[in-house]
Amino acid sequence: MKKTLVFGASLKPNRYSNLAIHRLVDSGVETLAFGLREGKVSGVNISNKLDKINDIHTITLYINPKRQEEYYNKIVSLAPKRVIFNPGTENPELYNILKNNNIDVEVACTLVLLSTGQY
């Protein structure tokens, strides 16, 4: 399956990023998580550092466009095959940066993609 980084992961169970981690793990997807606070969700460690993350196929974003700006270079340097922009994360500026670096952009909901077998 597609090794996935949940970018903007939350320890709060009512957050979509938290639910996405559970669903990805339940679907057998190798899952990593990056967030402001360290912790563990569904057996996945949430790290607040990106320096030891590599070989990512998909980044699924859960941070708003303004907060994304400081991570543009890091997201590109991770060289994912695709970045999923979940609802509320849409960012045309980042779409262009990613496309210019041959990274696929998908504006979709990770939870819907998983539940419909399109992930």
Side-chain angles (χ1 to χ4, degrees), residues 23-43:
R23 297 267 175 87
L24 287 162
V25 169
D26 291 348
S27 296
V29 176
E30 185 177 354
T31 306
L32 301 173
F34 168 76
L36 294 177
R37 294 200 175 103
E38 291 184 314
K40 194 174 265 196
V41 173
S42 195

Side-chain angles (χ1 to χ4, degrees), residues 1-6 24 29-32 53-60 75-76 78-84 98 102-106 113 118-119:
M1 289 289 288
K2 301 164 180 142
K3 186 175 176 183
T4 298
L5 172 62
V6 176
L24 287 162
V29 176
E30 185 177 354
T31 306
L32 301 173
I53 295 174
N54 56 35
D55 299 322
I56 297 296
H57 180 279
T58 298
I59 293 175
T60 182
I75 290 170
V76 170
L78 289 171
K81 301 285 185 251
R82 72 173 171 172
V83 174
I84 299 172
L98 295 171
N102 299 312
I103 298 169
D104 292 334
V105 169
E106 194 164 347
L113 293 173
Q118 298 178 68
Y119 193 79

Side-chain angles (χ1 to χ4, degrees), residues 57-109:
H57 180 279
T58 298
I59 293 175
T60 182
L61 285 178
Y62 288 94
I63 60 173
N64 72 54
K66 188 69 180 158
R67 295 278 323 277
Q68 293 168 18
E69 291 177 12
E70 68 184 281
Y71 297 108
Y72 286 0
N73 291 334
K74 188 58 183 175
I75 290 170
V76 170
S77 75
L78 289 171
K81 301 285 185 251
R82 72 173 171 172
V83 174
I84 299 172
F85 288 81
N86 287 279
T89 67
E90 299 89 348
N91 183 347
E93 181 179 31
L94 185 52
Y95 301 166
N96 290 330
I97 293 168
L98 295 171
K99 289 175 184 176
N100 289 336
N101 285 278
N102 299 312
I103 298 169
D104 292 334
V105 169
E106 194 164 347
V107 180
C109 176

